[in-house]
C-alpha cells in the first residue's frame, strides 16, 4: 500500500497565496514592449484576468493560465480547486471555457496514485464546466504544482473587464473571504474540520453559476478575487475604471473563525504582500485590524467582484442569491478626484 502524504506539507506557500505580489509583478512587467493589434482586446498591460483576442465581430478567444502549490492535502480535492481557479478567469471575462491543457509539476517521490488523483480532480471539474482537457505538460519539481491553461469563447459585445465600472454602480461579491487565513491555520491544525470542509467546498465551486446569473443584467465590470485579496483586486478595478469604491465592511462575508484567527495573528504571507501593495490607496479609519486583514487575505478560487448598474442591483441581487447563496452587496462606485481609491466603512 502506498503511503498517504499531506500535500500541503510539501509546499512553502499554498494556492494563490504563492502569487508574486501585485506591486512586484508591475515592476517586473514595466518596460516590456507592448505589441499593438486592434484585435487584441485585452492584453497583459491591462492587469485583467485573461487575454482576449477578437476572431470575428461575434467571437473572441479568451485565454488564461493559472497553477499553484497544494491548497489541500487530498490530491483529488487539490486538482478540483486548481482547475476551478483557472477556469474562473474565463468566467470573469464573461466567457465560456472550451479547452484546457494540464500544467503539472511533481516530485519524484510522489506516489503515482496521488498524481493520478490530482489529474482526475482537474478533469472532473473541467468536464463539469462543459470544457475538454486535450493534453498538457509535466515536469519534475521538488514542490508539487498543478493548474491549467484554459481557452474560452466570448462575444466581444458581452466581454467583461475590470475597466468598465461607472459612478453609481453597485458592488457585489459572490463568495465569502477568509480562505487564505483558514487554510494557513489548517497547516498548523488550528482550523476546525467542519469550517475547513466549507472553505474547500467553496474553493472547488465553479464561478459558472454566478456568471450565468449575471447575463441578463447591465454588469459594467468584473474580476475574480484571488491571490491579491479583495482590496488588491478592487484597487485594480478602481484604477482601471478611474472610480472610487466605497465598501461596507459589515456586508462582507467573513467567517467568524477567520476573524478570530486574524486577531491571533494567524495570517498568510500573501496578506502582508497585498497590504504593502494596496494600503496606500485605502482609507480604513476605524475599521478593526482583523477585518482589514481579511480584506487583504489572498483567496484561492474566490468569487466574482462585480460593478452593476444601480437600476439592476436589486434584481441582480435576487438572481445571484438564488444561484450563489453567499452573494454579498458590498458598496458603490463614485467619481474619483483625488485621495484614496477605496474607502472602507
Amino acid at each position: 500500500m502506498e503511503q498517504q502524504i499531506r500535500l500541503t506539507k510539501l509546499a512553502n506557500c499554498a494556492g494563490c497565496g504563492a502569487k508574486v505580489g501585485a506591486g512586484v509583478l508591475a515592476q517586473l512587467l514595466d518596460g516590456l514592449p507592448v505589441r499593438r493589434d486592434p484585435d487584441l482586446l485585452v492584453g497583459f498591460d491591462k492587469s485583467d484576468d485573461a487575454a482576449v483576442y477578437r476572431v470575428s465581430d461575434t467571437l473572441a478567444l479568451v485565454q488564461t493560465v493559472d497553477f499553484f502549490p497544494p491548497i489541500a492535502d487530498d490530491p483529488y480535492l487539490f486538482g478540483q480547486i486548481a482547475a476551478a481557479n483557472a477556469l474562473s478567469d474565463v468566467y470573469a471575462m464573461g466567457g465560456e471555457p472550451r479547452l484546457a491543457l494540464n500544467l503539472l509539476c511533481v516530485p519524484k517521490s510522489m506516489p503515482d496514485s496521488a498524481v493520478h488523483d490530482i489529474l482526475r480532480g482537474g478533469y472532473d471539474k473541467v468536464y463539469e464546466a462543459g470544457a475538454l482537457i486535450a493534453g498538457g505538460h509535466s515536469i519534475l519539481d521538488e514542490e508539487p504544482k498543478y493548474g491549467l491553461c484554459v481557452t474560452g469563447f466570448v462575444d466581444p459585445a458581452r466581454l467583461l473587464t475590470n475597466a468598465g465600472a461607472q459612478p453609481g454602480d453597485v458592488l457585489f461579491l459572490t463568495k465569502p473571504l477568509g480562505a487564505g487565513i483558514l487554510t494557513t491555520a489548517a497547516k498548523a491544525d488550528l482550523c476546525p474540520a467542519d469550517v475547513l470542509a466549507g472553505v474547500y467546498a467553496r474553493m472547488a465551486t465553479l464561478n459558472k453559476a454566478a456568471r450565468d446569473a449575471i447575463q441578463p443584467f447591465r454588469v459594467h465590470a468584473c474580476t475574480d478575487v484571488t491571490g491579491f485579496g479583495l482590496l488588491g483586486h478592487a484597487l485594480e478595478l478602481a484604477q482601471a475604471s478611474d472610480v472610487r469604491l466605497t465598501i461596507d465592511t459589515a456586508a462582507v462575508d467573513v467567517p467568524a473563525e477567520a476573524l478570530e484567527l486574524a486577531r491571533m495573528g494567524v495570517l498568510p504571507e500573501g496578506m502582508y504582500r497585498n497590504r504593502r501593495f494596496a494600503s496606500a490607496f485605502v482609507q480604513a479609519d476605524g475599521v478593526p485590524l482583523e477585518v482589514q486583514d481579511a480584506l487583504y487575505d489572498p483567496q484561492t478560487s474566490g468569487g466574482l467582484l462585480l460593478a452593476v448598474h444601480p437600476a439592476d442591483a436589486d434584481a441582480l441581487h435576487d438572481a445571484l442569491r438564488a444561484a450563489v447563496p453567499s452573494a454579498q452587496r458590498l458598496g458603490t462606485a463614485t467619481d474619483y478626484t483625488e485621495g484614496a481609491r477605496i474607502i472602507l466603512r
Side-chain angles (χ1 to χ4, degrees):
M1 178 181 294
E2 290 180 324
Q3 184 179 5
Q4 284 196 334
I5 58 172
R6 293 188 63 179
L7 290 183
T8 57
K9 297 296 185 182
L10 302 178
N12 292 320
C13 297
C16 287
K19 287 179 70 171
V20 174
V24 175
L25 183 61
Q27 295 175 8
L28 294 174
L29 294 174
D30 185 47
L32 291 180
V34 178
R35 254 339 244 283
R36 302 298 176 184
D37 184 325
D39 290 317
L40 182 62
L41 304 182
V42 181
F44 76 85
D45 55 318
K46 302 294 186 182
S47 297
D48 220 316
D49 296 296
V52 182
Y53 191 85
R54 180 170 47 208
V55 178
S56 70
D57 290 343
T58 59
L59 180 67
L61 291 178
V62 183
Q63 290 195 308
T64 186
V65 60
D66 211 316
F67 68 107
F68 48 60
I71 191 73
D73 286 322
D74 178 75
Y76 178 75
L77 180 60
F78 169 45
Q80 286 189 304
I81 293 170
N85 181 76
L87 292 160
S88 180
D89 286 341
V90 176
Y91 292 132
M93 310 302 291
E96 186 76 34
R98 281 290 178 260
L99 193 65
L101 300 172
N102 284 313
L103 294 169
L104 180 66
C105 304
V106 292
K108 291 180 180 179
S109 59
M110 181 174 284
D112 290 348
S113 61
V115 178
H116 176 81
D117 283 346
I118 292 171
L119 293 171
R120 184 168 60 89
Y123 273 67
D124 284 353
K125 194 55 61 171
V126 168
Y127 295 154
E128 181 186 333
L132 299 171
I133 291 184
H137 186 66
S138 59
I139 64 169
L140 294 173
D141 193 353
E142 293 182 359
E143 188 175 87
K145 302 173 187 71
Y146 176 64
L148 299 171
C149 177
V150 185
T151 298
F153 297 148
V154 70
D155 183 339
R158 301 188 66 83
L159 172 65
L160 298 175
T161 73
N162 65 5
Q166 300 176 15
D169 280 354
V170 178
L171 306 177
F172 290 89
L173 179 64
T174 64
K175 287 185 182 181
L177 300 181
I181 296 169
L182 293 168
T183 53
T184 296
K187 295 183 76 168
D189 297 320
L190 294 175
C191 185
D194 61 329
V195 174
L196 187 61
V199 175
Y200 285 150
R202 290 190 289 272
M203 288 193 289
T205 298
L206 294 173
N207 278 325
K208 183 179 190 304
R211 193 286 316 269
D212 291 348
I214 69 178
Q215 292 303 300
F217 303 100
R218 287 170 287 181
V219 176
H220 292 148
C222 180
T223 189
D224 64 342
V225 176
T226 55
F228 300 155
L230 173 62
L231 291 181
H233 290 286
L235 175 60
E236 289 184 334
L237 186 149
Q239 291 175 326
S241 302
D242 196 23
V243 295
R244 170 177 285 149
L245 304 182
T246 299
I247 295 176
D248 176 8
T249 58
V252 183
D253 186 356
V254 183
E257 295 84 358
L259 291 176
E260 180 58 31
L261 287 162
R263 289 188 196 99
M264 294 166 55
V266 180
L267 297 163
E269 182 182 351
M271 191 285 299
Y272 297 100
R273 289 197 299 267
N274 292 340
R275 183 186 285 277
R276 286 193 295 270
F277 164 63
S279 61
F281 304 92
V282 177
Q283 179 180 307
D285 298 344
V287 177
L289 181 60
E290 67 270 16
V291 174
Q292 296 182 47
D293 289 342
L295 302 188
Y296 287 112
D297 181 37
Q299 304 302 288
T300 298
S301 190
L304 300 181
L305 176 63
L306 308 161
V308 182
H309 192 290
D312 288 355
D314 289 342
L316 175 59
H317 197 194
D318 290 342
L320 281 175
R321 291 301 294 266
V324 283
S326 60
Q328 310 137 61
R329 184 168 177 163
L330 295 186
T332 56
T334 56
D335 285 310
Y336 178 75
T337 52
E338 60 183 4
R341 281 285 182 182
I342 299 174
I343 309 294
L344 302 183
R345 301 292 190 198

